[in-house]
Amino acid sequence: MAFEGSCHCGAVTFHVDADRPVGAMSCNCSHCRRKGFLLAFLPAETFTVTAGADRLTSYFFNKHVIRHQFCAVCGCETHAEGTGPGGVRTTAVNLRCVPSIDLDSLAIEKIDGARF
């Protein structure tokens, strides 16, 4: 079943045309750790910004291959865009921005991104 989310102030909203994830990734890299992300990686074509695309600002770090997208109004990162293994365009959705998902029910995969 599809799901929707937004940044904290609601300026940026999005729709995901995919089933709600049952798991998420928690990474300990310097960026994810500080922001507390719970990420689900989905095919880019399932993700659509429905409002506020003009309010999104990009942030790159490390190898500059992932475009972290955050709201210029409230600073909340809703998603990130990149290319996964095999050249597949991927969107990492910050599940903390999806109110309909029970975060406590997710199977959390811990990633040691600090070693990348």
Side-chain angles (χ1 to χ4, degrees):
M1 180 197 294
F3 58 96
E4 298 179 341
S6 70
C7 64
H8 186 256
C9 73
V12 176
T13 62
F14 60 87
H15 175 84
V16 181
D17 191 19
D19 289 337
R20 289 185 177 134
V22 295
M25 182 195 81
S26 176
C27 176
N28 68 352
C29 78
S30 62
H31 185 66
C32 293
R33 178 183 173 107
R34 283 171 173 79
K35 296 199 172 185
F37 295 134
L38 289 178
L39 301 171
F41 290 80
L42 302 164
E45 62 271 10
T46 66
F47 184 89
T48 305
V49 174
T50 52
D54 59 330
R55 301 279 177 100
L56 287 170
T57 299
S58 298
Y59 175 68
F60 293 90
F61 75 104
N62 195 7
K63 297 178 183 177
H64 294 242
V65 296
I66 299 172
R67 177 184 302 270
H68 296 271
Q69 299 284 281
F70 66 94
C71 174
V73 178
C74 67
C76 186
E77 184 173 323
T78 53
H79 66 287
E81 301 164 346
T83 303
V88 177
R89 286 185 32 240
T90 303
T91 300
V93 178
N94 180 5
L95 296 181
R96 292 193 183 275
C97 293
V98 182
S100 65
I101 292 180
D102 177 9
L103 300 177
D104 292 331
S105 72
L106 296 170
I108 305 298
E109 177 185 4
K110 294 186 178 191
I111 303 296
D112 189 7
R115 295 186 189 253
F116 290 173

Coordinates of all heavy atoms in Angstrom, one line a residue, residues 10-67:
G10 N 5.9 20.9 6.9 CA 4.9 20.6 5.9 C 5.1 21.2 4.6 O 4.3 21.0 3.6
A11 N 6.2 22.0 4.4 CA 6.4 22.7 3.1 C 6.8 21.6 2.0 O 6.4 21.9 0.9 CB 7.6 23.7 3.3
V12 N 7.4 20.6 2.4 CA 7.8 19.5 1.5 C 6.9 18.3 1.8 O 7.0 17.8 2.9 CB 9.3 19.2 1.5 CG1 9.6 18.0 0.6 CG2 10.1 20.4 1.2
T13 N 6.2 17.8 0.8 CA 5.4 16.5 1.0 C 5.8 15.5 -0.1 O 6.3 15.9 -1.2 CB 3.9 16.8 1.0 OG1 3.6 17.3 -0.3 CG2 3.5 17.7 2.1
F14 N 5.7 14.3 0.2 CA 6.0 13.2 -0.8 C 5.0 12.1 -0.8 O 4.4 11.9 0.2 CB 7.5 12.8 -0.6 CG 7.8 12.2 0.7 CD1 7.6 10.8 0.9 CD2 8.3 12.9 1.7 CE1 7.9 10.2 2.1 CE2 8.6 12.3 2.9 CZ 8.4 11.0 3.1
H15 N 5.0 11.3 -1.8 CA 4.2 10.1 -2.0 C 5.1 9.0 -2.5 O 6.0 9.2 -3.3 CB 3.1 10.4 -3.0 CG 2.3 9.2 -3.4 ND1 1.2 8.8 -2.6 CD2 2.4 8.3 -4.3 CE1 0.7 7.7 -3.1 NE2 1.4 7.4 -4.2
V16 N 4.9 7.8 -1.9 CA 5.7 6.7 -2.3 C 4.7 5.6 -2.8 O 3.8 5.2 -2.0 CB 6.6 6.1 -1.2 CG1 7.4 4.9 -1.7 CG2 7.5 7.2 -0.6
D17 N 4.8 5.2 -4.0 CA 4.0 4.2 -4.6 C 4.6 2.8 -4.5 O 5.1 2.2 -5.4 CB 3.7 4.5 -6.1 CG 2.6 3.7 -6.7 OD1 1.8 3.1 -5.9 OD2 2.6 3.6 -7.9
A18 N 4.7 2.4 -3.2 CA 5.2 1.1 -2.9 C 4.7 0.7 -1.6 O 4.1 1.5 -0.8 CB 6.8 1.2 -2.8
D19 N 4.8 -0.6 -1.2 CA 4.3 -1.1 0.1 C 5.2 -0.4 1.2 O 6.3 -0.1 1.0 CB 4.5 -2.6 0.2 CG 3.5 -3.3 -0.7 OD1 2.5 -2.8 -1.1 OD2 3.8 -4.5 -1.1
R20 N 4.5 -0.2 2.3 CA 5.2 0.3 3.5 C 6.3 -0.7 3.9 O 6.1 -1.9 4.0 CB 4.3 0.5 4.7 CG 3.3 1.6 4.5 CD 2.5 1.8 5.7 NE 1.6 2.9 5.5 CZ 0.3 2.9 5.8 NH1 -0.3 1.9 6.3 NH2 -0.4 4.0 5.5
P21 N 7.5 -0.1 4.1 CA 8.6 -1.0 4.5 C 8.4 -1.7 5.9 O 7.7 -1.1 6.7 CB 9.8 0.0 4.6 CG 9.4 1.2 3.9 CD 7.9 1.3 4.0
V22 N 8.9 -2.9 6.0 CA 8.8 -3.6 7.3 C 10.1 -3.4 8.0 O 10.3 -3.9 9.2 CB 8.4 -5.0 7.1 CG1 7.0 -5.1 6.6 CG2 9.4 -5.8 6.3
G23 N 11.1 -2.9 7.4 CA 12.4 -2.7 8.0 C 13.1 -1.4 7.6 O 12.6 -0.7 6.7
A24 N 14.1 -1.0 8.3 CA 14.8 0.2 8.0 C 16.3 0.0 8.3 O 16.7 -0.9 9.1 CB 14.2 1.4 8.8
M25 N 17.1 0.9 7.8 CA 18.5 0.9 8.0 C 18.8 2.0 9.0 O 18.4 3.1 8.8 CB 19.3 1.1 6.7 CG 20.8 1.1 6.9 SD 21.6 1.8 5.5 CE 21.5 3.5 5.8
S26 N 19.6 1.7 10.0 CA 20.2 2.7 10.9 C 21.7 2.7 10.7 O 22.3 1.7 11.0 CB 19.8 2.4 12.3 OG 20.4 3.3 13.2
C27 N 22.2 3.8 10.3 CA 23.6 3.9 10.0 C 24.4 4.8 11.0 O 23.8 5.7 11.5 CB 23.8 4.5 8.6 SG 25.5 4.8 8.1
N28 N 25.6 4.4 11.3 CA 26.4 5.2 12.3 C 27.4 6.1 11.7 O 28.3 6.6 12.3 CB 27.0 4.3 13.3 CG 28.1 3.4 12.7 OD1 28.3 3.4 11.5 ND2 28.9 2.7 13.5
C29 N 27.3 6.4 10.4 CA 28.2 7.4 9.8 C 28.0 8.8 10.4 O 27.0 9.0 11.1 CB 28.0 7.5 8.3 SG 26.6 8.5 7.7
S30 N 28.9 9.7 10.2 CA 28.8 11.0 10.9 C 27.6 11.7 10.6 O 27.1 12.4 11.4 CB 30.1 11.8 10.5 OG 30.1 12.0 9.1
H31 N 27.0 11.6 9.4 CA 25.8 12.3 9.0 C 24.5 11.6 9.6 O 23.7 12.3 10.3 CB 25.7 12.3 7.5 CG 24.6 13.1 7.0 ND1 24.5 14.5 7.1 CD2 23.5 12.8 6.3 CE1 23.4 14.9 6.5 NE2 22.7 13.9 6.0
C32 N 24.3 10.3 9.3 CA 23.1 9.6 9.8 C 23.0 9.6 11.3 O 22.0 9.7 11.9 CB 23.1 8.2 9.2 SG 22.9 8.1 7.5
R33 N 24.2 9.4 12.0 CA 24.2 9.3 13.4 C 23.7 10.6 14.0 O 22.9 10.6 15.0 CB 25.6 9.0 13.9 CG 25.7 8.9 15.4 CD 27.2 8.7 15.8 NE 27.4 8.8 17.2 CZ 27.6 7.8 18.0 NH1 27.7 6.6 17.5 NH2 27.7 7.9 19.3
R34 N 24.2 11.7 13.5 CA 23.8 13.0 14.1 C 22.3 13.3 13.9 O 21.7 14.0 14.7 CB 24.6 14.1 13.5 CG 26.0 14.2 14.1 CD 26.9 15.1 13.4 NE 28.2 15.3 14.1 CZ 29.2 14.5 14.0 NH1 29.1 13.3 13.3 NH2 30.4 14.7 14.6
K35 N 21.8 12.8 12.7 CA 20.4 13.2 12.4 C 19.4 12.1 12.8 O 18.2 12.3 12.8 CB 20.3 13.5 10.9 CG 21.1 14.7 10.5 CD 20.7 15.3 9.3 CE 21.4 16.6 9.1 NZ 21.0 17.3 7.9
G36 N 19.9 10.9 13.2 CA 19.0 9.9 13.7 C 18.1 9.2 12.6 O 17.0 8.8 12.9
F37 N 18.5 9.2 11.4 CA 17.7 8.6 10.3 C 17.4 7.2 10.5 O 18.2 6.4 11.0 CB 18.5 8.7 9.0 CG 18.7 10.1 8.5 CD1 20.0 10.4 8.0 CD2 17.8 11.1 8.5 CE1 20.2 11.7 7.5 CE2 18.0 12.4 8.1 CZ 19.3 12.7 7.6
L38 N 16.2 6.8 10.0 CA 15.8 5.4 9.8 C 15.4 5.4 8.3 O 14.4 6.0 7.9 CB 14.6 5.0 10.7 CG 14.9 4.8 12.1 CD1 13.7 4.5 12.9 CD2 16.0 3.7 12.3
L39 N 16.2 4.7 7.5 CA 16.1 4.8 6.0 C 15.6 3.5 5.4 O 16.0 2.4 5.8 CB 17.5 5.2 5.4 CG 18.1 6.5 5.9 CD1 19.5 6.6 5.3 CD2 17.2 7.7 5.4
A40 N 14.7 3.7 4.4 CA 14.3 2.6 3.6 C 14.7 3.0 2.2 O 14.4 4.1 1.7 CB 12.8 2.4 3.7
F41 N 15.4 2.1 1.5 CA 15.8 2.3 0.1 C 14.8 1.7 -0.9 O 14.5 0.5 -0.8 CB 17.2 1.7 -0.1 CG 18.3 2.4 0.7 CD1 18.5 2.2 2.0 CD2 19.1 3.4 0.0 CE1 19.4 2.9 2.7 CE2 20.0 4.1 0.7 CZ 20.2 3.8 2.1
L42 N 14.3 2.5 -1.8 CA 13.3 2.1 -2.7 C 13.7 2.6 -4.1 O 14.5 3.6 -4.3 CB 12.0 2.8 -2.3 CG 11.5 2.5 -0.9 CD1 10.4 3.4 -0.5 CD2 11.0 1.0 -0.9
P43 N 13.1 1.9 -5.1 CA 13.4 2.4 -6.5 C 13.0 3.8 -6.7 O 11.9 4.2 -6.2 CB 12.5 1.5 -7.4 CG 12.3 0.2 -6.5 CD 12.3 0.7 -5.1
A44 N 13.8 4.6 -7.3 CA 13.5 6.1 -7.5 C 12.2 6.4 -8.1 O 11.5 7.3 -7.8 CB 14.6 6.7 -8.3
E45 N 11.7 5.5 -9.0 CA 10.5 5.8 -9.7 C 9.2 5.6 -8.8 O 8.2 6.1 -9.2 CB 10.3 4.9 -11.0 CG 10.3 3.4 -10.7 CD 11.6 2.7 -10.7 OE1 12.7 3.4 -10.7 OE2 11.6 1.5 -10.7
T46 N 9.4 5.1 -7.6 CA 8.3 5.0 -6.7 C 8.1 6.2 -5.9 O 7.1 6.4 -5.2 CB 8.4 3.8 -5.8 OG1 9.5 4.0 -4.9 CG2 8.6 2.5 -6.6
F47 N 9.1 7.1 -5.9 CA 9.1 8.3 -5.0 C 8.7 9.6 -5.8 O 9.3 9.8 -6.9 CB 10.4 8.5 -4.4 CG 10.5 9.6 -3.4 CD1 10.2 9.4 -2.1 CD2 10.9 10.9 -3.8 CE1 10.2 10.5 -1.2 CE2 11.0 11.9 -2.9 CZ 10.6 11.7 -1.6
T48 N 7.8 10.4 -5.3 CA 7.4 11.6 -5.9 C 7.3 12.7 -4.9 O 6.6 12.5 -3.9 CB 6.0 11.5 -6.7 OG1 6.1 10.4 -7.6 CG2 5.7 12.8 -7.4
V49 N 8.0 13.8 -5.1 CA 7.7 15.0 -4.3 C 6.4 15.6 -4.8 O 6.3 16.0 -5.9 CB 8.9 16.0 -4.4 CG1 8.6 17.3 -3.7 CG2 10.2 15.4 -3.9
T50 N 5.4 15.7 -3.9 CA 4.1 16.2 -4.3 C 3.9 17.7 -4.0 O 3.0 18.3 -4.5 CB 3.0 15.4 -3.6 OG1 3.3 15.4 -2.2 CG2 3.0 14.0 -4.1
A51 N 4.7 18.3 -3.1 CA 4.7 19.7 -2.9 C 6.0 20.2 -2.3 O 6.7 19.4 -1.6 CB 3.6 20.1 -1.9
G52 N 6.4 21.4 -2.7 CA 7.6 21.9 -2.1 C 8.9 21.6 -2.7 O 10.0 21.8 -2.1
A53 N 8.9 21.1 -4.0 CA 10.2 20.8 -4.6 C 11.1 22.0 -4.7 O 12.3 21.9 -4.6 CB 9.9 20.2 -6.0
D54 N 10.5 23.2 -4.8 CA 11.3 24.4 -4.8 C 11.9 24.8 -3.5 O 12.7 25.7 -3.3 CB 10.4 25.6 -5.3 CG 9.2 25.8 -4.5 OD1 8.7 24.9 -3.9 OD2 8.8 27.0 -4.4
R55 N 11.4 24.1 -2.4 CA 11.9 24.3 -1.1 C 13.1 23.4 -0.7 O 13.7 23.5 0.4 CB 10.8 24.2 0.0 CG 9.7 25.1 -0.2 CD 10.0 26.5 0.3 NE 8.9 27.4 0.1 CZ 8.0 27.8 1.0 NH1 8.0 27.2 2.2 NH2 7.1 28.7 0.7
L56 N 13.3 22.4 -1.5 CA 14.4 21.4 -1.2 C 15.8 22.0 -1.5 O 16.0 22.7 -2.5 CB 14.2 20.2 -2.1 CG 13.0 19.3 -1.6 CD1 12.8 18.2 -2.7 CD2 13.3 18.6 -0.3
T57 N 16.7 21.7 -0.6 CA 18.1 22.0 -0.7 C 18.9 20.7 -0.6 O 18.5 19.8 0.1 CB 18.5 23.0 0.4 OG1 17.7 24.2 0.3 CG2 19.9 23.4 0.3
S58 N 20.0 20.7 -1.4 CA 20.8 19.5 -1.4 C 22.0 19.6 -0.6 O 22.6 20.7 -0.4 CB 21.3 19.2 -2.9 OG 20.2 19.0 -3.7
Y59 N 22.5 18.5 0.0 CA 23.7 18.4 0.8 C 24.5 17.2 0.3 O 23.9 16.1 0.2 CB 23.4 18.3 2.3 CG 24.6 18.1 3.1 CD1 25.6 19.2 3.2 CD2 24.8 16.9 3.8 CE1 26.7 19.0 4.0 CE2 26.0 16.8 4.6 CZ 26.9 17.8 4.7 OH 28.0 17.6 5.4
F60 N 25.7 17.4 0.0 CA 26.6 16.3 -0.3 C 27.8 16.2 0.7 O 28.2 17.2 1.2 CB 27.2 16.5 -1.7 CG 26.3 16.5 -2.8 CD1 25.6 17.6 -3.2 CD2 26.0 15.3 -3.5 CE1 24.7 17.6 -4.3 CE2 25.1 15.3 -4.6 CZ 24.5 16.4 -5.0
F61 N 28.2 15.0 1.0 CA 29.4 14.8 1.8 C 30.1 13.6 1.4 O 29.7 12.8 0.5 CB 29.1 14.9 3.3 CG 28.5 13.6 3.8 CD1 29.2 12.7 4.6 CD2 27.1 13.3 3.6 CE1 28.6 11.5 5.1 CE2 26.5 12.2 4.1 CZ 27.3 11.3 4.8
N62 N 31.3 13.3 2.0 CA 32.1 12.1 1.7 C 32.4 12.0 0.2 O 33.1 12.9 -0.3 CB 31.5 10.9 2.3 CG 32.4 9.7 2.4 OD1 33.6 9.9 2.1 ND2 31.9 8.6 2.7
K63 N 31.9 11.1 -0.5 CA 32.2 10.9 -1.9 C 31.3 11.7 -2.8 O 31.5 11.6 -4.0 CB 32.1 9.4 -2.2 CG 33.1 8.5 -1.5 CD 33.0 7.1 -1.8 CE 34.0 6.3 -1.0 NZ 33.8 4.8 -1.2
H64 N 30.4 12.4 -2.3 CA 29.5 13.3 -3.1 C 28.6 12.5 -4.1 O 28.4 13.0 -5.2 CB 30.3 14.4 -3.8 CG 30.9 15.3 -2.8 ND1 30.6 16.7 -2.7 CD2 31.8 15.2 -1.8 CE1 31.2 17.3 -1.8 NE2 32.0 16.4 -1.2
V65 N 28.2 11.3 -3.7 CA 27.4 10.5 -4.7 C 26.0 10.4 -4.2 O 25.1 10.0 -5.0 CB 28.0 9.1 -4.8 CG1 29.4 9.1 -5.5 CG2 28.1 8.3 -3.5
I66 N 25.7 10.8 -3.0 CA 24.3 10.8 -2.5 C 23.8 12.3 -2.4 O 24.5 13.0 -1.7 CB 24.2 10.1 -1.2 CG1 24.6 8.6 -1.4 CG2 22.7 10.1 -0.7 CD1 24.7 7.8 -0.1
R67 N 22.7 12.6 -3.0 CA 22.1 13.9 -2.9 C 21.1 13.9 -1.7 O 20.0 13.4 -1.9 CB 21.4 14.3 -4.2 CG 20.7 15.6 -4.1 CD 19.9 15.9 -5.4 NE 20.8 15.9 -6.6 CZ 21.4 17.0 -7.0 NH1 21.3 18.1 -6.5 NH2 22.2 16.9 -8.1

